[in-house]
Amino acid sequence: MDFEKLDVELSKIVQLRIKLSEITYADPNYDDIEEELHDLEDDLNEEFGDELEGKLEDIYATLVSDNDVLLPSAYLANKYVPMLPDARGVITYDVQGREGVPIESEQFDGQDVRIVLVPNPTRFVMVINGKSLKDLWRSR
């Protein structure tokens, strides 16, 4: 899997999601941005879907969850928090709140556990009760 390309494509999606969250439906650009976002998400699923779904299956097995693995784009958060750029100028992101796909596991009985896809580096993050707690898989 080309992790560099994955990070670039995922970052584009996250930037568009952030842009969409800052405007209203009444904005004349809303529909165009949303359409571009959906196209990028479809491309992500097509190009990286099989490999990312394999990683998710491993995660679900480790967490002993009976939930079905969804397409990678389903694990994207609606809102991302950009962090300060690193020495190379690459911005990484954090997720706060109830974002991502909920999963059920007896290991986390009674807690709101979710998995969310985050770029730079690409990783699946476990969010418990609205707080990002653990990287479940990292691209590097």
Side-chain angles (χ1 to χ4, degrees):
M1 182 173 352
D2 183 347
F3 293 127
E4 295 289 331
K5 185 173 183 184
L6 176 57
D7 275 339
V8 168
E9 297 303 314
L10 197 50
S11 293
K12 287 178 189 175
I13 291 170
V14 167
Q15 290 164 2
L16 282 178
R17 282 185 173 243
I18 290 170
K19 194 174 189 178
L20 261 186
S21 73
E22 295 171 345
I23 61 176
T24 67
Y25 295 117
D27 189 295
N29 297 317
Y30 190 94
D31 289 338
D32 292 336
I33 295 169
E34 187 176 47
E35 186 173 326
E36 182 182 357
L37 177 63
H38 291 310
D39 289 345
L40 289 174
E41 290 172 355
D42 289 343
D43 292 346
L44 174 80
N45 289 331
E46 187 175 313
E47 187 164 350
F48 301 102
D50 290 341
E51 292 168 276
L52 291 174
E53 285 175 31
K55 302 300 181 193
L56 285 163
E57 287 170 2
D58 294 343
I59 290 168
Y60 278 49
T62 300
L63 298 176
V64 192
S65 175
D66 290 334
N67 293 81
D68 291 332
V69 171
L70 305 175
L71 291 172
S73 61
Y75 296 85
L76 293 165
N78 290 319
K79 295 180 182 177
Y80 288 87
V81 178
M83 308 305 278
L84 293 175
D86 66 11
R88 299 174 299 147
V90 176
I91 297 173
T92 192
Y93 298 89
D94 191 18
V95 178
Q96 299 171 351
R98 301 196 186 284
E99 296 286 343
V101 174
I103 63 161
E104 295 175 16
S105 172
E106 290 182 15
Q107 297 177 27
F108 305 101
D109 192 37
Q111 298 184 66
D112 180 39
V113 179
R114 296 167 185 257
I115 299 174
V116 65
L117 182 58
V118 182
N120 297 331
T122 299
R123 60 205 184 275
F124 286 107
V125 176
M126 178 187 295
V127 178
I128 299 179
N129 298 327
K131 295 185 175 136
S132 297
L133 292 183
K134 180 179 180 180
D135 289 354
L136 300 168
W137 173 82
R138 291 175 69 98
S139 61
R140 48 195 140 128

